[in-house]
Amino acid sequence: MRIVCVHGYGCGGEDWDAQRAALAPRHEVFAPDLPGHGSTPGAPQDASIARFASEVAKLIEPATLLVGHSMGCRVVLEAAKNNSSDVAGIVLIDGSRIGSASNRIEALGYARFIDGFFGAMIPNPLLQADALLARAKRMPADFGTALFRDIVRWDAAELDAALAAVRVPLLAIQSTAINPEGKRVMLKAGESSPWLDLLRRGIPSAEIRIISSVGHFTQIEAADEVSRLIGDFSACALQERRR
């Protein structure tokens, strides 16, 4: 099976190195840098979920598993909606729906916004938070600001339809939630969140797994468990497709 892993906002394909290593013996694994991230150039007009989804679609072939982290959840949902016949399953890792608190980027400026936004994602000091922050800040401020605006727009205008269009098995792996004050908090086993409640309403068949005591970069902080969950789910999704 082909597995396409899509990174989050201000991140890069290297966030999936552990999954590539674990899954490559049995699967063809791609983890591209989206436009404006890592080694892939991007202009402000490229800063949209739709553009990112069109790039991911180039990697989709029949029976592809799409895996997204954070912003990447939006990208894979959009790509799946437009390429439904070739997608065998979807994995969403620590997704969310961003609300009115998004105006912080305008009030603070890009660099200060990134300090607070990413700082809340990385409670584990072993994750080298400074390196992740520096990487996000390398994204040009005009690009990053335009992209964040489009994330907010997509959440409000496109997310519900994208969830309603899902016709394949879906696994949600969640480690954090955004509380009513707009702060990111770690989830405990058995807890839910507005995002998970939204998934359950929109996709009653969704499989949900909580990984507790880690921050937002679940695929890095709990790499072995995430790789195992993706591997097990890929086998189930492929079996379901063959029925």
Side-chain angles (χ1 to χ4, degrees):
M1 173 180 275
R2 175 170 289 191
I3 300 177
V4 179
C5 299
V6 182
H7 64 75
Y9 176 84
C11 300
E14 68 268 22
D15 289 354
W16 304 101
D17 284 352
Q19 286 68 49
R20 271 193 283 211
L23 298 169
R26 298 187 61 186
H27 302 282
E28 186 181 27
V29 183
F30 290 84
D33 289 334
L34 295 171
H37 294 74
S39 60
T40 304
Q45 60 266 29
D46 300 323
S48 72
I49 299 301
R51 171 62 195 281
F52 292 174
S54 71
E55 292 299 315
V56 168
K58 297 174 182 178
L59 298 174
I60 296 175
E61 64 176 22
T64 294
L65 181 70
L66 294 177
V67 182
H69 169 243
S70 192
M71 178 193 73
C73 295
R74 299 159 173 90
V75 177
V76 301
L77 286 168
E78 181 75 9
K81 183 180 69 175
N82 297 325
N83 301 272
S84 57
S85 63
D86 289 331
V87 175
I90 300 170
V91 180
L92 306 179
I93 299 179
D94 222 45
S96 66
R97 183 176 222 167
I98 297 174
S100 59
S102 62
N103 59 10
R104 287 175 297 167
I105 195 169
E106 311 289 350
L108 296 173
Y110 181 70
R112 286 184 61 202
F113 169 78
I114 289 296
D115 284 335
F117 192 61
F118 271 74
M121 295 177 181
I122 313 167
N124 186 343
L126 299 179
L127 257 190
Q128 299 181 323
D130 289 346
L132 295 175
L133 281 167
R135 181 180 66 177
K137 287 182 177 180
R138 285 196 293 271
M139 192 162 60
D142 58 347
F143 187 94
T145 300
L147 177 55
F148 199 79
R149 288 188 189 125
D150 192 70
I151 291 171
V152 176
R153 182 208 62 79
W154 192 89
D155 281 5
E158 311 288 346
L159 175 56
D160 291 325
L163 292 176
V166 172
R167 296 289 184 272
V168 294
L170 183 142
L171 168 66
I173 302 172
Q174 199 74 16
S175 53
T176 73
I178 298 176
N179 69 16
E181 290 74 41
K183 296 181 179 179
R184 190 175 292 275
V185 295
M186 289 186 286
L187 285 173
K188 297 177 182 177
E191 288 186 328
S192 190
S193 69
W195 166 249
L196 294 179
D197 291 342
L198 177 67
L199 289 182
R200 291 187 178 101
R201 291 194 303 270
I203 310 172
S205 63
E207 181 181 349
I208 294 174
R209 294 288 182 268
I210 302 294
I211 298 180
S212 58
S213 302
V214 300
H216 182 56
F217 285 85
T218 324
Q219 78 274 38
I220 299 175
E221 294 182 72
D224 291 345
E225 188 169 1
V226 168
S227 297
R228 179 186 62 79
L229 287 169
I230 293 173
D232 291 349
F233 181 75
S234 68
C236 295
L238 192 57
Q239 184 178 23
E240 181 69 22
R241 186 174 179 86
R242 288 171 174 166
R243 288 180 180 173

